[in-house]
Amino acid sequence: IMHALLFIVAENRQEVVEAKELLGLCREYVTGLRMELYRKELATGAAPVESPTAPAPPKAGTEAVRQAELAAYFTHCNLQPPHLILSLRSAMNSAHKVKNYQNAASFAKRLLELNPSADYVTQARKVLKFAEQNPTNENKLLYDERNPFVVCNIS
């Protein structure tokens, strides 16, 4: 789509606006999918844990912590609601796996706001209930949902 946008001839201002919106949406998906692919490479052991510009995760050698960070960042890409639901579920599961129950609860709350399918609602409610009983984060992630950030596509 991004390559095709190079050859579009806009005949009016509305078409220019639509093309720019489409380009922005494509940029968000490219950013998100690059993070997701890197996260999956970490799961298979095909990628290094550290990126050239980011500091090492708090517990060096823990791919699961880095995977949870990447899943968390992926939830901040401007995706269509069905895709955002999938990214929030993935982040919720990743955070829960590394025993970051507060982070998992945060993703579960965001997931419930999007009115997902019944299976996802049940899973999110279980995570919220568990997080209420265990309101801790065992690992420090290089991620804070309250602070604005920009994801660099180069690193």
Side-chain angles (χ1 to χ4, degrees):
I1 294 175
M2 292 175 88
H3 292 285
L5 283 173
L6 292 171
F7 302 106
I8 289 179
V9 177
E11 296 187 14
N12 56 44
R13 220 174 258 290
Q14 179 63 27
E15 288 181 359
V16 171
V17 169
E18 289 174 6
K20 286 182 180 181
E21 286 175 1
L22 185 58
L23 181 62
L25 185 63
C26 289
R27 182 179 57 246
E28 292 292 323
Y29 272 85
V30 167
T31 300
L33 291 175
R34 288 187 68 197
M35 283 188 285
E36 185 65 8
L37 288 172
Y38 184 69
R39 186 180 74 81
K40 288 186 180 198
E41 286 177 7
L42 285 174
T44 63
V49 174
E50 300 175 25
S51 71
T53 57
K59 294 182 180 179
T62 58
E63 289 85 7
V65 172
R66 185 66 177 147
Q67 289 173 333
E69 290 172 351
L70 291 168
Y73 285 124
F74 187 30
T75 67
H76 290 278
C77 292
N78 188 20
L79 306 175
Q80 298 293 317
H83 302 137
L84 183 57
I85 287 170
L86 294 174
S87 72
L88 285 166
R89 181 174 180 241
S90 175
M92 179 181 70
N93 291 335
S94 294
H96 193 271
K97 183 192 274 187
V98 297
K99 300 180 182 176
N100 279 31
Y101 304 123
Q102 287 179 329
N103 292 122
S106 172
F107 298 127
K109 288 175 188 173
R110 289 177 56 199
L111 179 62
L112 290 172
E113 291 173 0
L114 296 173
N115 299 318
S117 68
D119 292 341
Y120 291 2
V121 168
T122 303
Q123 184 182 17
R125 286 187 179 148
K126 285 180 183 177
V127 168
L128 281 172
K129 185 177 180 182
F130 190 83
E132 287 174 3
Q133 297 168 354
N134 304 298
T136 61
N137 282 335
E138 188 171 301
N139 295 287
K140 180 166 176 35
L141 301 182
L142 299 174
Y143 165 79
D144 184 0
E145 66 181 316
R146 295 177 304 273
N147 288 333
F149 56 85
V150 175
V151 176
C152 176
N153 272 328
I154 296 173
S155 59

